[in-house]
Amino acid sequence: MSTTGSKRHAQVSAARRRTVVDALRRGAVPKSGLDLLATGLDRFEAALDAELDAVASGGSVFKAVRGEYGSGKTFFTRWLGERAKRRNFAVAEIQVSENETPLHKLETVYRRLTERLATSSFPPSALRPVVDAWFYALEEDALAAGATEEELPGEVEKLLVARLAEVSRHAPSFATALRGYRAALADGDEATAAAVLAWLGGQPHVAASARRSAGVRGDLDHFGALGFLQGLLTVLRDSGHTGLFVVLDEVETLQRVRSDARDKALNALRQLIDEVHSGRFPGLYLVITGTPAFYDGQQGVQRLAPLAQRLATDFTTDPRFDNPRAVQIRLPGFTQESLVGLGVTIRDLYADAATSPERVRTVVDDAYVADLARAVGGALGGKVGVAPRLFLKKLVGDVLDRVDQFDDFDPRQHYKLTVASSELTDVERNLAATVFGGSASADDIDLEL
């Protein structure tokens, strides 16, 4: 997932460049600016853009992304999320985990969604700005229909009932909570308004007094979460957003939970897919990511036959002929060539804002970038596919930063690649342990470049 040349970087703002470089320096996937790094994804663009357009027109899409560790699943979903944001979608990225966000508890998934909800104008959580914009839109529609100032509250109430009629069939408390929120604001009771909005976002343990004031009871449950998601989609659409792009990341963690929880989670995933395909959630683009072992193994999708049938996709052909319109798509991961290409891209992006751009490009030339990529791959047992995170972290933090700050620094003379166990993920650590037949630890790796 690399690009070549620096032409596309010529008009990059300092803020975008800094966001990308700072994230890579930390060994993280940038939150934005991924279009600066992404090529090799062009074969997906036409199909995915068509799906986003269909969702913006009132459709709904479910997509499963498969790839080994390091193949760029998080990069891919954030890149696609940026494309969705440019179409005025709201987006939310949710990390599935046994303790924090168990998939079999959809009320928790909905809560994380509202906590991480972002728009092109507001960072997480954008729930309150979205709800406020919705009420403003209702007022504007009522005034446009001829309502006077005195009639406005009643006309807004009529519009609220009409717009949420379908939602109220499944989750009447969603509309009730919105009324309670608006009433608290009208009374100047900010504390109650905030508490009611928190309840609307699925937060537990909201003060009983706030719930009584809004006319709602208890906490959101598994089945109510689907109705609330439906309501949120309605509010987003009426407040000017074209849709909601949601990522459930790292669903392969389901393979490590207790069997009863795993079965419930797989069934919840099957339920979500069916609801998306039934048309219940117009304006929703839902993506999950996982490893091939999750999709193909007996501890994952194959454990539930109806789910396996829904996700079944033919990957027996040459990857060049994979169908990007299929329910499941695979990411090929990095090769040595593409890893070097990505490194050159980052080098050029960095150099454009360096004190001495030509010195950076000369000292950290293409040959050095290739040597560093080979060395990092060697430190991870030759597994180039899992090397990108560590490679970019070393390239930016250990090499480019020093070249930019110290005029006499030459990485070929003054830098040795050292991979410490503490900076590796579990997968990277296991691969590093295979170096030299498994007799060495990651702390023992010290490679000349």
Side-chain angles (χ1 to χ4, degrees):
M1 298 179 185
S2 62
T3 186
T4 56
S6 59
K7 291 182 179 179
R8 71 194 305 174
H9 302 152
Q11 303 301 320
V12 178
S13 70
R16 292 187 74 207
R17 182 184 290 107
R18 185 168 56 250
T19 295
V20 171
V21 171
D22 285 350
L24 298 177
R25 185 183 288 118
R26 299 191 309 272
V29 175
K31 291 288 187 182
S32 61
L34 298 178
D35 56 304
L36 302 176
L37 313 180
T39 63
L41 299 182
D42 53 339
R43 63 195 182 102
F44 296 113
E45 286 183 0
L48 296 178
D49 285 348
E51 290 177 349
L52 287 172
D53 291 340
V55 172
S57 299
S60 54
V61 167
F62 174 86
K63 207 78 171 179
V65 178
R66 68 187 276 146
E68 295 288 0
Y69 178 87
S71 63
K73 296 188 295 295
T74 299
F75 180 99
F76 176 85
T77 55
R78 289 184 181 171
W79 167 79
L80 184 54
E82 284 193 349
R83 299 180 79 82
K85 265 189 181 180
R86 288 198 290 271
R87 287 169 168 77
N88 203 26
F89 277 64
V91 301
E93 179 183 319
I94 304 166
Q95 298 292 322
V96 175
S97 68
E98 180 180 8
N99 297 323
E100 296 296 324
T101 314
L103 189 55
H104 67 283
K105 294 185 177 180
L106 292 181
E107 66 273 26
T108 303
V109 175
Y110 172 80
R111 181 166 78 245
R112 295 288 179 256
L113 189 161
T114 61
E115 290 171 351
R116 290 160 172 73
L117 187 69
T119 68
S120 56
S121 302
F122 295 97
S125 166
L127 180 61
R128 182 160 190 168
V130 165
V131 170
D132 289 344
W134 184 65
F135 277 116
Y136 178 79
L138 293 185
E139 291 176 353
E140 289 295 299
D141 288 349
L143 291 171
T148 64
E149 289 295 332
E150 293 75 16
E151 297 170 337
L152 188 58
E155 293 302 313
V156 168
E157 173 64 20
K158 291 179 183 178
L159 287 174
L160 184 151
V161 171
R163 303 281 173 85
L164 296 176
E166 180 62 25
V167 176
S168 294
R169 290 178 50 219
H170 304 283
S173 55
F174 187 86
T176 302
L178 283 170
R179 291 189 190 93
Y181 171 72
R182 181 174 171 81
L185 286 180
D187 293 339
D189 189 349
E190 172 60 30
T192 297
V196 173
L197 193 67
W199 188 89
L200 191 72
Q203 296 294 335
H205 315 307
V206 173
S209 58
R211 285 185 275 124
R212 280 196 304 269
S213 174
V216 296
R217 295 183 298 176
D219 293 329
L220 185 64
D221 61 17
H222 177 93
F223 298 102
L226 294 177
F228 274 40
L229 174 58
Q230 193 176 4
L232 179 60
L233 288 166
T234 300
V235 168
L236 283 166
R237 182 182 65 244
D238 289 349
S239 60
H241 295 282
T242 51
L244 173 62
F245 178 85
V246 178
V247 178
L248 299 178
D249 203 9
E250 299 183 359
V251 292
E252 69 267 13
T253 58
L254 297 181
Q255 298 172 103
R256 300 193 290 271
V257 305
R258 297 191 324 270
S259 60
D260 58 336
R262 185 189 314 142
D263 290 343
K264 290 177 182 177
L266 292 172
N267 192 58
L269 184 56
R270 191 271 313 157
Q271 182 184 7
L272 274 174
I273 295 173
D274 287 350
E275 295 283 11
V276 169
H277 290 163
S278 74
R280 181 180 177 183
F281 301 124
L284 177 64
Y285 195 119
L286 178 62
V287 180
I288 67 169
T289 72
T291 59
F294 170 73
Y295 293 111
D296 302 335
Q298 293 305 312
Q299 298 306 313
V301 167
Q302 301 304 315
R303 189 179 177 93
L304 182 63
L307 178 60
Q309 293 164 6
R310 286 158 176 76
L311 295 178
T313 305
D314 179 15
F315 290 118
T316 60
T317 57
D318 189 309
R320 292 180 301 158
F321 306 119
D322 282 359
N323 178 14
R325 298 174 182 170
V327 65
Q328 187 183 155
I329 58 178
R330 64 176 165 182
L331 303 181
F334 281 90
T335 63
Q336 180 68 24
E337 180 182 6
S338 62
L339 190 62
V340 173
L342 178 58
V344 170
T345 297
I346 299 303
R347 188 270 321 276
D348 289 343
L349 180 67
Y350 188 104
D352 288 342
T355 304
S356 178
E358 286 309 310
R359 169 174 151 72
V360 170
R361 291 190 177 92
T362 300
V363 175
V364 188
D365 57 14
D366 293 4
Y368 179 82
V369 172
D371 288 345
L372 182 63
R374 278 191 293 271
V376 173
L380 297 179
K383 302 292 186 180
V384 175
V386 301
R389 186 196 72 85
L390 186 61
F391 166 62
L392 295 177
K393 184 175 186 289
K394 295 293 185 181
L395 176 63
V396 173
D398 289 356
V399 177
L400 291 173
D401 279 345
R402 286 170 170 156
V403 171
D404 188 39
Q405 296 177 84
F406 305 105
D407 292 341
D408 56 345
F409 178 79
D410 184 342
R412 291 191 180 278
Q413 297 182 39
H414 305 126
Y415 174 68
K416 290 183 178 180
L417 173 67
T418 301
V419 181
S421 179
S422 59
E423 64 182 321
L424 300 179
T425 64
D426 290 341
V427 173
E428 292 166 345
R429 192 175 296 112
N430 290 336
L431 290 171
T434 67
V435 178
F436 309 123
S439 61
S441 72
D443 295 308
D444 297 322
I445 302 169
D446 190 15
L447 303 176
E448 293 278 1
L449 296 179

